[in-house]
Amino acid sequence: MKKLEKLLTSESFIRYVYNTNEQDVLFWENWLQLHPEHEGVIERAKLAVQSLQFNISKQDDHDIEASWNTLQIRIRREAFSADLEKTKFFTPFKTAVAFSLCFILIITSYFLFQYQEKIILETGDGQELIFKFSDHSEVVLEENTRVYFSETWETDSVRQVWITGKAHFKVSKKKNDTGGNKRFEVITDQMLIDVIGTVFTVNTRSGPYVELKTGRVNVQLVGSDQIHKMVPGQVARLDQNSNLEILTEVVPNQLVFQDGYLNLTNHSFSEIIQWIETTYFVQINCRDVQLLDRKVSGQMKVENLMDLMMVLEKIFNISIVKKGDVLFIISTN
Amino acid sequence: MNTRADVLESVSETELWDSFKKGDEVSFKNIYFLHYSMLFQYALNICKDDQITSDALQDLFSDLWQSRRRLAPVTSIKAYLFTSIRRRVLVKLKKNRRKQVLALEIFTHHPDIEFSQEMIRIREEKDFFRKSMIKEALATLSKRQREVIYLRFYQEIPLNEVAEIMNIKYQSVVNLCQSALKVLRNDSKLLRVVSGEFSN
């Protein structure tokens, strides 16, 4: 009887009841002919199994898609946090001794690991760096800018680049193993920029944070689930409360520093001062309103702040005096 | 048009899992979309709470992606995911209970699986009387018997994988399945209802 019980729970019996396998149906029909005394039990067992037929309820496709999108955002954010919030790697231990030892060990390992894993590009005052990635994407770092990425960048499923400062990106489309477009992400301490084949600028200092020239990018504030799509000509800015706003207004006439030259197109002295302050992290004091409004066009070679000051002194007929950390502009007219 | 399931028919579980482990997002997405719905049903049936279910699923797949390189090979992705979601939901329930009631409360690790009338399939879908008869019969089973029946017949998971999910021996699962079917077989009211369904 125990053997029969076992047979009635077997996959073969279930397939026979549901008529899903010809061999099982034949086996059980033969078995019944050989054991007609069990016909009643078999009939009851069949009905018991037949009672276990269910309607499979399915989640709404939109709900699954929405949860997938939420998951993607979370994964990106966690990858981002894991890189910046180093303290998250450390967990408390029960004893102070164990905690200290493990803490030191983890910090050491982490920094060793990080050091070996990252490729760092950095520019100083007046420097510019053009870097071409293995996938033919290109980044131009302006002064005082730091860009880094993983050593395994080429084989990573998402091409991720971290930046502080200002850089211009030209991203090449690349297919992944399954034929889809491989994502390119630029990450700052405030924003995540998701890109596919695009030319754009990221600036973590002042002014427009992201400027899109061609293609399409999605931008997302760190800690926010909201994704903003940008189209060419748009700029993404952070307001005073660090809220993200996407503007379609024309980008203001900006100073362009390229190939070691500062290109001026009817720029005021005030705009030049602002550029120097944000680029060289100096404070400039000028009280001459007329001088601040004077405009100039042209190109000047800039290798360092001193050179630039000398050129400005000649162009605007001024003297620049350094007192402490502040540069004072004195008009000589 | 080929569905996701059609496309995946040509790919073995091992290939799909290996590809996901290597960081292929498409494979990860396929795993997600193939199993999300059934995992949701199972998790919801265990905890009866939409929020806990959604959170547990997000945690599961997020951790899965983050730790993909360290994951061991699996023979059944479905069994792996069901094992994992079961554990996670039970842990979440346990934590919530600890917050709500005295620490002395004994927490049972046997989920209280329920079979709703909507889940029960009969020829006349609107025959609530028959559905409620079958529902009542299933409710007479023990918690563990119900979970075995749910996983084997609703989720269509083989008994050896059910054992893995419930973290008990294969023979225990077989015994639970046998005893559950025996209970149903001896329920004359149930058999009358079912025989009416299949008599034509």
Side-chain angles (χ1 to χ4, degrees):
Chain A
M1 202 63 189
K2 267 193 174 179
K3 196 179 172 188
L4 180 60
E5 285 289 338
K6 200 175 173 184
L7 280 172
L8 296 180
T9 328
S10 67
E11 295 293 329
S12 163
F13 183 71
I14 293 164
R15 286 195 293 266
Y16 158 64
V17 175
Y18 292 151
N19 200 13
T20 52
N21 184 296
E22 212 172 301
Q23 279 187 323
D24 291 314
V25 174
L26 278 173
F27 168 82
W28 280 97
E29 280 173 354
N30 285 336
W31 191 91
L32 268 170
Q33 280 181 353
L34 292 169
H35 305 90
E37 70 278 14
H38 293 310
E39 197 179 342
V41 179
I42 296 294
E43 197 50 40
R44 293 177 80 87
K46 275 176 72 177
L47 290 171
V49 171
Q50 277 164 349
S51 74
L52 301 173
Q53 295 202 63
F54 299 106
N55 293 317
I56 306 298
S57 54
K58 198 176 176 303
Q59 293 297 107
D60 186 81
D61 284 346
H62 293 294
D63 290 345
I64 302 176
E65 192 74 42
S67 73
W68 168 254
N69 291 337
T70 309
L71 177 70
Q72 287 300 292
I73 291 164
R74 176 175 165 173
I75 286 172
R76 296 273 83 79
R77 193 167 57 224
E78 283 175 354
F80 172 77
S81 307
D83 195 82
L84 292 178
E85 294 171 24
K86 293 159 186 157
T87 50
K88 280 193 176 174
F89 281 87
F90 313 126
T91 55
F93 293 89
K94 286 182 180 175
T95 68
V97 174
F99 177 80
S100 308
L101 285 172
C102 290
F103 190 73
I104 292 163
L105 187 69
I106 290 167
I107 287 180
T108 314
S109 316
Y110 176 70
F111 279 103
L112 274 174
F113 175 71
Q114 288 297 304
Y115 176 74
Q116 288 166 352
E117 205 187 36
K118 295 265 183 291
I119 293 171
I120 300 169
L121 310 171
E122 214 161 3
T123 52
D125 289 346
Q127 289 182 328
E128 187 185 69
L129 176 69
I130 301 168
F131 181 81
K132 285 197 176 169
F133 293 92
S134 50
D135 67 347
H136 305 296
S137 293
E138 192 177 298
V139 58
V140 180
L141 281 73
E142 288 201 3
E143 298 145 297
N144 298 310
T145 296
R146 186 173 195 257
V147 165
Y148 66 93
F149 50 93
S150 163
E151 248 185 16
T152 56
W153 192 85
E154 198 173 350
T155 52
D156 286 350
S157 61
V158 178
R159 300 170 286 175
Q160 289 184 308
V161 173
W162 282 259
I163 174 178
T164 333
K166 186 172 181 182
H168 311 277
F169 290 88
K170 195 192 283 182
V171 176
S172 296
K173 279 187 183 175
K174 193 180 179 198
K175 297 284 179 195
N176 56 28
D177 297 340
T178 49
N181 279 320
K182 198 170 184 179
R183 293 229 299 277
F184 191 108
E185 285 182 353
V186 179
I187 300 158
T188 74
D189 59 347
Q190 288 178 294
M191 215 179 280
L192 180 70
I193 302 143
D194 191 1
V195 189
I196 297 172
T198 298
V199 178
F200 65 105
T201 298
V202 176
N203 177 9
T204 65
R205 294 176 197 142
S206 62
Y209 208 98
V210 181
E211 291 177 50
L212 182 60
K213 307 277 190 308
T214 64
R216 184 177 65 78
V217 300
N218 292 337
V219 292
Q220 184 189 345
L221 271 183
V222 171
S224 163
D225 290 344
Q226 203 177 353
I227 297 172
H228 302 264
K229 288 184 178 174
M230 287 178 67
V231 295
Q234 286 191 320
V235 295
R237 284 176 184 275
L238 290 176
D239 68 13
Q240 287 178 335
N241 300 318
S242 290
N243 295 317
L244 181 66
E245 48 183 10
I246 308 290
L247 305 169
T248 45
E249 67 185 22
V250 178
V251 181
N253 179 20
Q254 288 200 331
L255 285 164
V256 179
F257 181 78
Q258 206 168 17
D259 302 330
Y261 286 89
L262 184 63
N263 297 294
L264 302 167
T265 317
N266 205 26
H267 284 98
S268 68
F269 186 60
S270 161
E271 287 171 321
I272 298 170
I273 286 179
Q274 203 183 353
W275 182 81
I276 295 169
E277 284 182 326
T278 53
T279 306
Y280 291 97
F281 304 108
V282 291
Q283 194 184 335
I284 299 176
N285 190 319
C286 178
R287 290 180 182 170
D288 187 333
V289 181
Q290 278 187 325
L291 174 64
L292 286 169
D293 283 341
R294 273 184 62 190
K295 294 190 172 169
V296 64
S297 295
Q299 194 180 52
M300 61 175 90
K301 189 163 175 63
V302 178
E303 285 184 354
N304 52 51
L305 183 59
M306 286 299 288
D307 286 354
L308 180 57
M309 291 292 126
M310 283 171 65
V311 175
L312 290 176
E313 281 179 335
K314 280 186 183 170
I315 295 173
F316 291 97
N317 199 19
I318 53 173
S319 289
I320 301 171
V321 182
K322 190 172 182 237
K323 282 186 184 172
D325 294 332
V326 184
L327 297 172
F328 287 89
I329 308 290
I330 301 158
S331 177
T332 52
N333 288 332
Chain B
M1 198 174 80
N2 285 338
T3 64
R4 193 179 297 277
D6 293 336
V7 172
L8 288 172
E9 262 186 14
S10 56
V11 183
S12 75
E13 294 255 303
T14 317
E15 283 171 336
L16 184 63
W17 188 252
D18 284 347
S19 175
F20 152 68
K21 280 185 64 183
K22 284 175 189 162
D24 176 29
E25 282 194 68
V26 176
S27 298
F28 181 50
K29 191 172 183 178
N30 283 333
I31 291 171
Y32 187 90
F33 277 79
L34 270 180
H35 298 289
Y36 185 88
S37 195
M38 298 310 267
L39 284 166
F40 191 94
Q41 303 294 331
Y42 181 47
L44 185 62
N45 214 324
I46 294 173
C47 68
K48 323 279 189 279
D49 185 311
D50 277 339
Q51 193 56 50
I52 292 178
T53 300
S54 299
D55 289 349
L57 278 164
Q58 288 278 316
D59 291 349
L60 165 64
F61 280 101
S62 173
D63 290 349
L64 205 61
W65 178 255
Q66 306 296 357
S67 59
R68 63 190 181 278
R69 289 189 183 92
R70 299 191 298 275
L71 296 173
V74 298
T75 45
S76 164
I77 297 173
K78 187 172 183 177
Y80 178 87
L81 295 175
F82 270 68
T83 307
S84 188
I85 197 66
R86 184 182 192 270
R87 191 177 60 245
R88 281 167 188 272
V89 171
L90 288 177
V91 168
K92 273 185 187 283
L93 274 179
K94 198 173 181 179
K95 276 184 188 166
N96 282 359
R97 284 192 169 213
R98 272 185 184 162
K99 283 177 194 165
Q100 288 165 11
V101 297
L102 292 172
L104 285 173
E105 186 193 351
I106 298 165
F107 177 76
T108 170
H109 274 272
H110 307 311
D112 192 2
I113 297 286
E114 283 177 6
F115 291 90
S116 66
Q117 290 210 7
E118 291 73 36
M119 287 162 76
I120 295 160
R121 193 202 301 171
I122 58 172
R123 194 176 299 155
E124 294 295 328
E125 279 297 310
K126 286 183 181 171
D127 192 337
F128 296 110
F129 173 71
R130 289 186 177 201
K131 284 192 173 190
S132 68
M133 293 282 284
I134 297 173
K135 187 186 167 189
E136 273 177 33
L138 291 168
T140 61
L141 301 177
S142 71
K143 283 182 181 178
R144 296 216 297 173
Q145 286 173 333
R146 275 206 303 277
E147 192 175 12
V148 170
I149 293 294
Y150 174 86
L151 290 169
R152 172 60 192 85
F153 291 92
Y154 183 76
Q155 296 283 1
E156 296 179 345
I157 297 172
L159 290 179
N160 60 327
E161 290 174 16
V162 171
E164 191 185 316
I165 293 166
M166 292 178 69
N167 196 24
I168 54 177
K169 286 181 182 167
Y170 171 71
Q171 192 51 50
S172 303
V173 172
V174 172
N175 292 343
L176 283 166
C177 192
Q178 275 178 11
S179 57
L181 288 174
K182 198 172 179 180
V183 170
L184 299 178
R185 216 161 61 218
N186 291 329
D187 188 331
S188 301
K189 277 200 293 186
L190 171 79
L191 297 191
R192 267 201 301 279
V193 169
V194 181
S195 63
E197 278 295 307
F198 289 90
S199 57
N200 295 337

